[in-house]
Amino acid sequence: SAVISQKPSRDICQRGTSLTIQCQVDSQVTMMFWYRQQPGQSLTLIATANQGSEATYESGFVIDKFPISRPNLTFSTLTVSNMSPEDSSIYLCSVQSRFTDTQYFGPGTRLTVL
Amino acid sequence: AQTVTQSQPEMSVQEAETVTLSCTYDTSESDYYLFWYKQPPSRQMILVIRQEAYKQQNATENRFSVNFQKAAKSFSLKISDSQLGDAAMYFCAYRSAGGGSNYKLTFGKGTLLTVNP
């Protein structure tokens, strides 16, 4: 399986500010994804990060709020913009392994917005 | 759209005993994948087991096995000889076969498993 790291592991932010979360994988992967897990809830897909082009967003998520970059096959960032307390969640990066046809997850970033 | 239902918000088991977690799903597709992920308090999502819908044989990984009933759209997870380290939130997930946006995972709400010593 791929080794995935995320930075930061956690952060506490003020309302109205933005936070950028980084995801790094140790091998080239075709698909990278960003999920949100609100407190006590399941995971919801925010978007698919596409290398060299705009991310593909799921219903209910927009680029202005969650801009995503993916400059190469091993790295992606998710920005949570103009944060409010409702954005307090765990944000997880995942990658699709082309060898095992399975998604593997990073350790997650726990975000608290005051 | 596909949906995944886990009807047991919480389950508990005695150490060394066996426990079964339930999962049902709704889909009109014939080819897909099913997964069980484990999320301990560290919040890392760990793949436990996967099942391809076209395979009739139930998947097994050491102490973990599934009972896949395609006609009933049921995918339960059995944990044998439960250990304290098995305590976690368990999520059932569905994924369509094929590429592109079909790589999206749809998760159930999870079952919190407690293992009692």
Side-chain angles (χ1 to χ4, degrees), chain A residues 65-108:
Chain A
K65 177 66 175 177
F66 298 101
I68 289 171
S69 77
R70 189 178 173 193
N72 57 54
L73 291 176
T74 62
F75 184 79
S76 178
T77 65
L78 167 73
T79 299
V80 186
S81 304
N82 188 25
M83 289 183 286
S84 66
E86 292 70 34
D87 294 319
S88 297
S89 296
I90 297 171
Y91 292 87
L92 298 109
C93 167
S94 75
V95 303
Q96 179 73 27
S97 168
R98 56 183 168 173
F99 300 110
T100 64
D101 205 15
T102 298
Q103 274 188 41
Y104 297 98
F105 286 81

Side-chain angles (χ1 to χ4, degrees), chain A residues 9-10 31 33 35 37 40-43 45 58 90 92 96 100-110, chain B residues 33 35 37 39 41-47 50 89 91 95 98 100-101 103-110:
Chain A
S9 61
R10 60 177 60 221
M31 310 288 287
F33 307 90
Y35 287 82
Q37 186 178 24
Q41 302 297 314
S42 186
L43 281 75
L45 180 65
E58 296 296 306
I90 297 171
L92 298 109
Q96 179 73 27
T100 64
D101 205 15
T102 298
Q103 274 188 41
Y104 297 98
F105 286 81
T109 296
R110 182 182 294 275
Chain B
Y33 298 92
F35 304 87
Y37 284 89
Q39 188 179 41
S42 66
R43 76 175 178 265
Q44 173 83 55
M45 289 286 286
I46 301 166
L47 177 69
R50 56 174 269 162
M89 182 71 85
F91 292 99
R95 203 205 90 196
S101 62
Y103 284 120
K104 170 186 175 180
L105 286 173
T106 299
F107 286 89
K109 291 186 180 297

